[in-house]
Amino acid sequence: MQPNVIVKPAAEKFMRRMVRFAGLGETAGFRLTVTAGGCSGYNAEFTVEGAPLDGDQVLPVGDLRVFLPAESRLLLDGVTIDFADTPSSTGLSFHNPNAGACGCASSGSSAQPPGVAKVDISAIRRS
């Protein structure tokens, strides 16, 4: 069963570029690993892989292939993935409308809204 994930056009464009620039061929895809944690509720890492790894499910986003490990599929159900490129932040963002407010003591303008996680493009690894 596919998770109910919405990938916004800006996020799809970013993912597609990463896959294309990796030059790994037509079977390549964007592997997204998400774990619980952090103030926003998510820690995320991504790589471009030549093919899905054992246990990955392929989430088709148009003709883009997004590889999701089992634990990521569970966490991403109902989540919207977007991409932001602003002077203060660049990367994927995850918005979960069902997430609660952050319970930590952080404050200030750099704090993310509840249910939103940022992944900096410096997290890119090529396998």
Side-chain angles (χ1 to χ4, degrees):
M1 183 171 140
Q2 293 283 357
N4 177 28
V5 177
I6 297 170
V7 179
K8 298 286 222 161
E12 179 183 353
K13 180 179 177 181
F14 172 74
M15 293 175 185
R16 190 175 302 284
R17 280 184 167 176
M18 294 296 104
V19 172
R20 186 177 69 232
F21 292 148
L24 297 177
E26 293 182 23
T27 61
F30 189 89
R31 186 168 197 269
L32 181 60
T33 303
V34 178
T35 56
C39 184
S40 66
Y42 297 109
N43 290 316
E45 181 177 296
F46 56 89
T47 58
V48 175
E49 303 288 341
L53 301 179
D54 287 341
D56 285 354
Q57 183 175 15
V58 179
L59 174 69
V61 179
D63 62 350
L64 172 68
R65 295 165 31 116
V66 179
F67 305 147
L68 297 174
E71 64 276 6
S72 298
R73 292 191 300 267
L74 293 173
L75 289 170
L76 289 173
D77 195 42
V79 171
T80 299
I81 303 172
D82 204 352
F83 182 83
D85 188 10
T86 66
S88 62
S89 175
T90 299
L92 292 174
S93 63
F94 302 84
H95 176 70
N96 182 352
N98 300 315
C102 176
C104 69
S106 66
S107 63
S109 60
S110 63
Q112 298 299 322
V116 176
K118 293 284 186 187
V119 178
D120 192 352
I121 61 172
S122 64
I124 298 170
R125 289 188 327 190
R126 183 172 179 189
S127 299

